[in-house]
Amino acid sequence: MKNHKALAPSILSANFTNLATAITETAEGGATYLHLDVMDGHFVPNISFGIPIVQSLRSFADENALNLTFDAHLMIANPKSYIKPFADAGADLITFHYETCENAEEARGIISLIRGEGKRVGVAINPHTHEDVLKPLLPEIDMALVMSVVPGFGGQGFMPHTLDKARKIRGWADEQNLPLNIQMDGGINLDNIKTVADAGANIIVVGSAIFAHEDITAKTREFVDKIT
Ligand code: DX5
Ligand code: ZN
């Protein structure tokens, strides 16, 4: 099954005094996703931003006809209480962490909540969580997110062992002919993005390797050109 390929810039490393410009530039550079890293200081040892920022960016994107899929990556301990608020704020795709659930049944409960809001569903696993936990859920979700760093901070080094997780998940999806999206997130740069795409990831998150640069539009374009 052939999936579209998309770049998902993470604004975690952007200049927070000017997020509107940051997302405009990534859209002009050809990005089609906007990756929103929500951190609660419990599930991860960092606090980033939450519902009002997502809402403001959504209004800005709509008013300015920016064609961006709002991709909310919830690194929060209690995702089920926040599905509706993030859906109402304008997320198109909501990803929660499998590690916040006791078992697959609990994960299915959150999947239903996201579906009930009419949104696309992603489930994330940390670099040290076994990919087998996702296998039974694949027919029920739109995207598997394979973290390639321990979540919490931008600018960390890519963990190469996570490539095998993406390869295995892509293999399972292909066996069942599922149109599953696979996202990888963390430590991705111009040198390794091709390897990440070749491992089966089709929605690729890049944070600091874009926003550390002066010309965000040009940098985004370089990344988009590598995967399309
Ligand atoms: C990590 C976040 C990532 C990360 C991406 O907790 O989920 O989205 O910030 O940033 P880079 O590309 O800098 O690793
Ligand atoms: Zn993320």
Side-chain angles (χ1 to χ4, degrees):
M1 183 88 47
K2 266 267 163 274
N3 289 90
H4 69 290
K5 294 230 190 309
L7 185 74
S10 160
I11 52 166
L12 187 63
S13 302
N15 177 349
F16 278 23
T17 63
N18 212 345
L19 289 176
T21 303
I23 72 167
T24 304
E25 290 174 340
T26 62
E28 285 169 353
T32 49
Y33 278 62
L34 174 63
H35 188 78
L36 299 151
D37 283 310
V38 177
M39 302 181 181
D40 66 350
H42 292 274
F43 181 69
V44 290
N46 195 8
I47 298 175
S48 58
F49 55 81
I51 296 144
I53 297 276
V54 174
Q55 202 165 30
S56 303
L57 291 175
R58 180 85 232 190
S59 306
F60 177 83
D62 289 348
E63 281 157 19
N64 292 276
L66 300 182
N67 191 16
L68 292 168
T69 295
F70 272 52
D71 161 21
H73 176 195
L74 303 185
M75 287 164 275
I76 65 178
N78 181 18
K80 61 175 163 303
S81 301
Y82 295 94
I83 300 306
K84 184 164 170 32
F86 279 101
D88 290 347
D92 299 300
L93 161 64
I94 301 180
T95 300
F96 65 96
H97 269 263
Y98 188 86
E99 295 82 7
T100 65
C101 301
E102 290 284 338
N103 50 43
E105 277 325 295
E106 195 180 338
R108 287 196 168 96
I110 304 175
I111 292 169
S112 311
L113 285 176
I114 301 173
R115 289 264 180 251
E117 295 297 330
K119 304 300 179 183
R120 285 153 62 191
V121 180
V123 184
I125 52 167
N126 282 340
H128 302 296
T129 299
H130 204 289
E131 59 280 6
D132 281 359
V133 298
L134 291 184
K135 197 174 181 185
L137 299 176
L138 297 184
E140 300 158 46
I141 66 178
D142 299 293
M143 188 181 83
L145 164 50
V146 177
M147 290 302 300
S148 39
V149 298
V150 175
F153 300 90
Q156 305 183 73
F158 184 84
M159 299 172 87
H161 81 274
T162 59
L163 289 166
D164 271 339
K165 293 173 183 285
R167 281 186 201 109
K168 262 174 92 172
I169 295 169
R170 177 56 73 208
W172 293 332
D174 286 351
E175 275 165 24
Q176 299 174 66
N177 214 20
L178 298 172
L180 181 78
N181 293 298
I182 298 180
Q183 183 170 66
M184 286 192 85
D185 180 9
I188 297 168
N189 54 43
L190 282 170
D191 295 328
N192 62 18
I193 191 166
K194 192 78 183 58
T195 314
V196 168
D198 289 346
N202 64 302
I203 302 177
I204 302 181
V205 179
V206 179
S208 51
I210 288 177
F211 290 103
H213 293 272
E214 194 80 347
D215 190 341
I216 293 168
T217 307
K219 205 28 97 174
T220 303
R221 176 66 59 198
E222 275 186 66
F223 276 98
V224 169
D225 287 348
K226 286 256 182 193
I227 55 170
T228 49

